[in-house]
Amino acid sequence: MERTKILVTGGAGYIGSHAVVELYKAGYQPVIVDNFANSQESALTGIEQILGVKVPFHRIDCNDMEALRAVFAEEGSLRGVIHFAAFKAVGESVAKPLEYYQNNVGSLLTLLAVMREFGVSALVFSSSCTVYGVPDALPVTEQTPTKKANSPYGATKQMCEDILRDVVAAPDATLRTILLRYFNPIGAHDSALIGELPLGVPQNLIPYVTQTAAGIREKLTIYGDTYDTPDGTNIRDYIHVVDLAEAHVVAVRRLLEGHSDAVETFNVGTGHGNSVLEVVQAFERASGQKLNYVIGPPRPGDVPAIYADVTKATQELGFTTTTSLEDSLASAWKWQQTLKG
Ligand code: NAD
Ligand code: WQD
């Protein structure tokens, strides 16, 4: 039987590459588009080694409408799209707001126009827990009010969500979409053939931890230990990237089987919060080595604590995570060692 084709924008990236693997394993035919703005061809090699087949790939910019049209025309029978392609560095977005609005909002608009032209009506969109800002109560549900974004990056995610809600609400709309609000994805595929490839000095916690353990960085600085949390450090909901990838398979299936409303939003996390110190301790257990760290000042803009209420994803998507924090960190460490060697 022919596989149902799903376009995966940003499919060479960190989360996208893992989603491509899970889609294929679930019987779909992923088709990747990526411009390698923040990824490398090695991700495609990794995917091929894991699956034992080459996944169709088009090197294009999703802002390029003609190029996107050509992909839809050439592939012929795309049934759905997962839109991962975006810039994602919060700090960089403050320095380069125009580039972030152009790439993140512009690529969605271009994609939506081409999807409409080709009659492709199922879209899974990569949103983020950043839309909640500093929440008033924990855990956050999908009903938790969103707050004014504190970075252009966060604003792009809110704008994209708003655009999608407006587009599906139009009287002649055919689009149906699922917005997945990811919490903090970490770790790598078990095979250590694909994973996160941070460029330069990592801004995110886990790559900084693994690079410190690998001797690439001298020490981790924990950004503050006087927050109003049990041990004073920030709390986040760290979800293994393969678990997160599986949520996309479930969402695609739901859209294609017609079980979804026109627009649905889901938190995708574990439902558990862990502090930075707990992450460090779990990493030490997972890797069997001590981590060199110091406590530094708080990082401006950091949310003291956020973690997901995952009731909706559990009940309506049937989605649950299976990987423990320690196993997630073990996979991140295994991946780091591959990069070193
Ligand atoms: P990533 O940078 O690893 O992957 C994004 C991919 O998109 C990259 O391969 C990049 O080359 C590609 N890309 C960017 N702009 C493009 C364009 N115009 N045309 C074609 N390709 C383009 O990031 P990721 O961590 O895999 O994140 C994927 C998505 O999930 C993003 O939308 C991001 O905002 C969102 N998200 C990420 C996190 C996180 O912590 N990683 C959390 C919440 C939401
Ligand atoms: C995690 C925790 C830091 C580095 C970001 C984006 C968010 C979403 C996920 C895309 C925090 C602490 C970090 C370090 C540290 N991305 N930390 N020392 O900030 O929760 O979220 O990625 O949508 O929008 O903002 O992730 O990995 O940067 O930080 O102490 O060297 O680790 O203070 O508490 P964050 P992170």
Side-chain angles (χ1 to χ4, degrees):
M1 210 177 72
E2 206 158 288
R3 287 170 173 260
T4 302
K5 276 190 193 173
I6 306 295
L7 188 73
V8 184
T9 77
Y14 174 43
I15 307 169
S17 56
H18 291 84
V20 163
V21 167
E22 295 310 310
L23 279 170
Y24 190 86
K25 280 169 57 189
Y28 293 98
Q29 178 57 66
V31 174
I32 301 173
V33 298
D34 204 300
N35 64 356
F36 296 136
N38 192 39
S39 53
Q40 291 169 16
E41 245 174 295
S42 58
L44 304 179
T45 316
I47 291 168
E48 186 179 346
Q49 283 176 285
I50 292 169
L51 296 176
V53 294
K54 249 190 166 60
V55 170
F57 169 70
H58 304 264
R59 183 171 186 164
I60 63 151
D61 185 329
C62 293
N63 286 287
D64 181 342
M65 194 176 290
E66 282 316 312
L68 207 50
R69 274 196 186 115
V71 170
F72 275 67
E74 187 186 329
E75 292 295 341
S77 53
L78 293 170
R79 291 284 313 284
V81 180
I82 308 178
H83 187 44
F84 290 105
F87 293 153
K88 64 163 176 177
V90 174
E92 186 185 61
S93 78
V94 178
K96 298 181 175 177
L98 191 54
E99 284 81 354
Y100 270 68
Y101 287 112
Q102 175 61 57
N103 197 46
N104 294 7
V105 181
S107 68
L108 176 67
L109 295 175
T110 306
L111 174 67
L112 288 173
V114 177
M115 286 177 70
R116 181 169 64 180
E117 187 180 326
F118 283 83
V120 180
S121 60
L123 175 69
V124 179
F125 177 72
S126 299
S127 190
S128 167
C129 66
T130 193
V131 300
Y132 296 115
V134 180
D136 294 329
L138 291 171
V140 292
T141 74
E142 292 78 357
Q143 266 69 54
T144 297
T146 57
K147 296 268 182 69
K148 184 177 163 23
N150 66 355
S151 72
Y153 168 73
T156 70
K157 290 296 167 190
Q158 294 181 338
M159 284 178 191
C160 287
E161 286 202 359
D162 287 343
I163 289 165
L164 287 167
R165 284 189 208 96
D166 287 345
V167 170
V168 298
D172 61 348
T174 51
L175 183 74
R176 286 172 35 260
T177 186
I178 292 182
L179 316 179
L180 298 181
R181 291 177 176 163
Y182 314 155
F183 282 67
N184 289 51
I186 61 166
H189 193 263
D190 255 2
S191 63
L193 290 166
I194 53 173
E196 192 171 7
L197 280 173
L199 292 173
V201 180
Q203 305 302 310
N204 295 113
L205 178 62
I206 307 311
Y208 209 105
V209 164
T210 59
Q211 288 196 9
T212 303
I216 300 167
R217 312 276 156 212
E218 188 204 337
K219 57 179 183 295
L220 170 75
T221 301
I222 293 181
Y223 297 138
D225 69 348
T226 56
Y227 286 96
D228 185 16
T229 59
D231 66 21
T233 65
N234 285 172
I235 291 175
R236 296 289 183 273
D237 184 336
Y238 296 96
I239 176 172
H240 190 240
V241 67
V242 176
D243 286 340
L244 175 58
E246 282 167 3
H248 295 79
V249 176
V250 177
V252 161
R253 190 177 296 131
R254 182 173 172 88
L255 285 167
L256 296 185
E257 288 178 354
H259 298 317
S260 67
D261 293 337
V263 55
E264 292 182 324
T265 306
F266 294 99
N267 284 342
V268 192
T270 65
H272 302 287
N274 287 103
S275 73
V276 180
L277 276 172
E278 284 173 343
V279 169
V280 168
Q281 287 152 8
F283 178 80
E284 290 182 339
R285 288 195 299 275
S287 67
Q289 63 177 90
K290 283 278 166 210
L291 193 77
N292 190 18
Y293 71 85
V294 292
I295 306 291
R299 180 170 67 174
D302 262 343
V303 173
I306 186 164
Y307 54 96
D309 182 320
V310 292
T311 309
K312 190 177 175 200
T314 309
Q315 290 182 349
E316 295 184 28
L317 291 179
F319 171 74
T320 49
T321 57
T322 53
T323 315
S324 68
L325 177 64
E326 218 169 296
D327 286 348
S328 299
L329 292 167
S331 74
W333 178 228
K334 188 173 168 190
W335 167 246
Q336 179 65 56
Q337 288 168 299
T338 315
L339 292 178
K340 212 186 167 192

